Amino acid sequence: MLEYDKIDKVPVAEIEPVYLITGEETLLMKRFIQRLQERLAPGGMEDFNLTRFEGKDFSIDTLLESCETLPVMCEKKLVILKNPWFLEPKGGGLESREEEKLKKYLKFPPDNTCLAIYCETKPDGRKSITKMLKKTCCVVDFQRLKEVELKKWIQAECAKRGKSISAGALIELIRNFDYLSRNPSQSLYDISGEIEKLAAFIGTKQEITDDVVRESSIYTFQNDVFELIDSLSKKKANETQVRFRKLLADGEPAMKIIAFLRNQFKTMIRVKEMEQNGYTASKIATKLKQHPFAVKKSLKYSKNFEENKLIELLNYFTQLDRKLKSGKMDAVVSMEMIIVEICS
């Protein structure tokens, strides 16, 4: 069980008077703070029993005054101190008078206040105030999850959304992220966002399967291309170039992007005509044997173009695709040139 779940089972009277909350996983830290707030300052009581301080925008005197104020109509109040400057490596230090006052408070904190010190940057362990915090208060350190923990966390995240995830899908999902690698670039925020998308993708179905994870990753690519089409329709050359380069950076070949654009403009012409003839999105999806997600996107973005413009764009990309397949042109350079031409 993760620390932020444990706090739900602790009686309010036993919630610690001071927490030092640190670690690499910002999402878990925020959830811990959220759980504390739900326990100590639930809806309607925030004005009386919750005070927030952040960065340099406070004095130690003001902080301690708030901590020593009695709670209203409850056992304990919550004071959140986010990213205090005096704990940061380059944040400088407190004046001796302020540091002594804070240390005195930390030695004998009142039972009717919970001071939650929340640090997104690792506190400077060389500072005496950091050493005292680690010695006297409850330290909650949210490090990156190990593989077993990550699997349990993903299953719990799915359950929160009323979904389950198969063993194969769990492996497939983790494989799509570099979270467990030696030098990861992604966090639980990224995985949480993907779970949210998968839950929406399967609609009323209950289980996320490995086929769903694979299919959804295809639609992630499609969604990125639709955003490129959107910026193209608005003649935003720089934005379109950025979206194109992002797709390349994600490992998508330029030839694949161009081929998809050609097929997409062809589909957009068809769905536009079918909608004008009274077809609904679901009927269009059935008729074209496409996923409703793709059809809805095609309908949405086809509205940004006149039909003759869609035909013109289809011709553009059909000719470009032929030239690329004959080896006469470089795909990346050609795509960048065509973006400039269309947006000019």
Side-chain angles (χ1 to χ4, degrees):
M1 185 184 292
L2 293 168
E3 291 293 340
Y4 66 81
D5 288 324
K6 288 180 183 177
I7 206 72
D8 293 339
K9 302 185 183 301
V10 176
V12 168
E14 295 177 21
I15 290 176
E16 297 288 340
V18 185
Y19 287 99
L20 176 62
I21 305 155
T22 66
E24 296 177 81
E25 279 300 349
T26 307
L27 177 62
L28 301 185
M29 288 193 281
K30 286 185 176 179
R31 287 187 178 178
F32 186 84
I33 291 289
Q34 184 181 344
R35 291 290 209 282
L36 281 175
Q37 184 175 336
E38 288 167 358
R39 296 298 309 282
L40 302 178
M45 298 302 291
E46 297 98 325
D47 292 342
F48 304 103
N49 295 317
L50 173 64
T51 312
R52 297 177 184 272
F53 299 94
E54 183 171 355
K56 292 185 177 182
D57 193 23
F58 67 95
S59 68
I60 294 298
D61 288 338
T62 307
L63 171 68
L64 296 182
E65 182 182 341
S66 179
C67 290
E68 290 165 352
T69 302
L70 293 173
V72 177
M73 298 174 64
C74 66
E75 290 181 70
K76 193 170 289 197
K77 64 178 289 186
L78 177 62
V79 177
I80 299 171
L81 175 55
K82 181 180 178 182
N83 298 329
W85 59 274
F86 55 83
L87 293 182
E88 295 180 354
K90 297 180 181 179
L94 293 168
E95 293 180 5
S96 57
R97 179 191 68 83
E98 292 179 315
E99 186 164 323
E100 286 307 310
K101 286 189 75 172
L102 181 55
K103 284 181 175 179
K104 184 178 178 181
Y105 178 88
L106 294 173
K107 282 181 182 177
F108 305 103
D111 291 333
N112 53 24
T113 296
C114 172
L115 171 60
I117 304 171
Y118 161 34
C119 302
E120 292 177 312
T121 302
K122 185 178 179 180
D124 190 341
R126 298 167 298 178
K127 294 183 175 182
S128 62
I129 190 68
T130 305
K131 291 176 182 177
M132 183 169 185
L133 277 166
K134 289 182 176 180
K135 184 178 178 180
T136 60
C137 74
C138 179
V139 179
V140 186
D141 190 18
F142 288 106
Q143 293 301 317
R144 297 182 74 83
L145 303 183
K146 304 296 183 184
E147 185 173 357
V148 173
E149 295 172 318
L150 179 61
K151 286 180 177 179
K152 288 180 180 178
W153 182 83
I154 290 171
Q155 289 169 332
E157 288 294 297
C158 292
K160 284 179 190 175
R161 295 162 175 82
K163 309 295 181 185
S164 61
I165 184 166
S166 70
L170 192 57
I171 294 168
E172 191 75 28
L173 178 59
I174 292 172
R175 192 181 292 150
N176 287 346
F177 292 88
D178 67 358
Y179 185 88
L180 295 174
S181 67
R182 185 170 294 179
N183 297 302
S185 63
Q186 294 163 313
S187 70
L188 292 181
Y189 269 116
D190 299 295
I191 300 176
S192 178
E194 184 66 14
I195 293 168
E196 190 71 39
K197 187 183 73 177
L198 288 167
F201 188 74
I202 63 173
T204 56
K205 293 179 182 177
Q206 204 271 328
E207 186 180 45
I208 298 169
T209 64
D210 47 346
D211 286 339
V212 167
V213 175
R214 282 192 289 270
E215 193 176 358
S216 177
S217 66
I218 294 170
Y219 287 107
T220 298
F221 163 71
Q222 290 188 359
N223 196 57
D224 288 343
V225 177
F226 276 121
E227 288 180 352
L228 186 151
I229 290 171
D230 183 48
S231 56
L232 198 64
S233 72
K234 295 169 183 173
K235 296 195 172 184
K236 295 181 177 179
N238 289 339
E239 185 178 317
T240 308
Q241 296 281 15
V242 168
R243 294 192 185 284
F244 174 56
R245 292 189 196 111
K246 180 186 178 298
L247 283 161
L248 294 175
D250 289 342
E252 302 294 351
M255 285 281 287
K256 177 183 174 182
I257 298 167
I258 291 165
F260 182 82
L261 283 166
R262 181 203 66 211
N263 293 335
Q264 193 50 52
F265 285 123
K266 185 177 181 180
T267 300
M268 286 164 76
I269 292 168
R270 294 187 70 186
V271 300
K272 196 176 186 73
E273 290 174 347
M274 292 176 79
E275 186 183 43
Q276 288 169 353
N277 290 329
Y279 283 82
T280 62
S282 59
K283 286 185 178 179
I284 294 172
T286 303
K287 192 82 173 174
L288 298 182
K289 296 181 180 179
Q290 291 193 14
H291 196 285
F293 170 88
V295 169
K296 286 177 182 177
K297 287 283 186 181
S298 296
L299 281 169
K300 176 183 175 181
Y301 290 109
S302 69
K303 290 177 170 56
N304 294 346
F305 299 93
E306 296 293 334
E307 189 170 347
N308 60 345
K309 186 62 179 179
L310 285 172
I311 294 169
E312 182 185 329
L313 289 167
L314 174 60
N315 291 334
Y316 254 114
F317 284 95
T318 300
Q319 291 172 21
L320 178 58
D321 191 49
R322 284 176 188 156
K323 289 176 182 177
L324 291 172
K325 285 176 179 175
S326 67
K328 293 179 181 178
M329 301 176 74
D330 177 80
V332 174
V333 174
S334 299
M335 182 63 188
E336 289 176 341
M337 288 173 63
I338 207 168
I339 289 170
V340 172
E341 189 175 343
I342 291 170
C343 293
S344 62

